[in-house]
Amino acid sequence: MWAEGERMIDDFKYALDENGHRILVGLTPSETVEFQRLDKLRRDDSTELPFISAEWHLQLPPGKRWLELFEKHELARSAMIEARRATKH
């Protein structure tokens, strides 16, 4: 579930890696930086072209990578939430 040395913080969204860096759960430090950069680009896109359409079709190559990283993070986060839920019962 947790990588060695990793500690969970916040709402299972972020963790501290073995070096004390705040990372998105399920992502490496470099993937966290990449995701944050792509997320900022997505939010700041002045062309107003969506990275993902209403039907969840990718529109731009950076959107594909953003989605890959988002899904990796969400899968890891969901697994942690489920594991915690299971230990409470």
Side-chain angles (χ1 to χ4, degrees):
M1 173 170 54
W2 284 98
E4 189 165 330
E6 198 173 69
R7 291 185 302 148
M8 188 274 303
I9 56 177
D10 296 331
D11 60 353
F12 296 97
K13 186 172 182 178
Y14 289 95
L16 295 177
D17 71 6
E18 64 276 357
N19 296 315
H21 298 115
R22 189 172 184 233
I23 58 171
L24 286 164
V25 169
L27 301 183
T28 66
S30 61
E31 288 173 331
T32 297
V33 169
E34 181 183 7
F35 177 82
Q36 291 170 334
R37 182 184 59 81
L38 291 171
D39 197 49
K40 182 173 178 5
L41 285 173
R42 186 176 64 89
R43 292 172 196 229
D44 294 346
D45 186 12
S46 62
T47 64
E48 298 182 15
L49 293 173
F51 274 53
I52 303 170
S53 72
E55 298 81 28
W56 290 90
H57 296 292
L58 299 170
Q59 300 295 315
L60 300 172
K64 182 176 181 183
R65 181 64 177 150
W66 178 91
L67 185 59
E68 288 171 356
L69 293 170
F70 177 80
E71 287 176 340
K72 183 178 179 184
H73 164 64
E74 280 300 309
L75 285 171
R77 195 174 80 82
S78 295
M80 289 175 56
I81 291 169
E82 285 303 315
R84 183 169 176 120
R85 223 178 259 152
T87 61
K88 286 187 174 183
H89 291 57

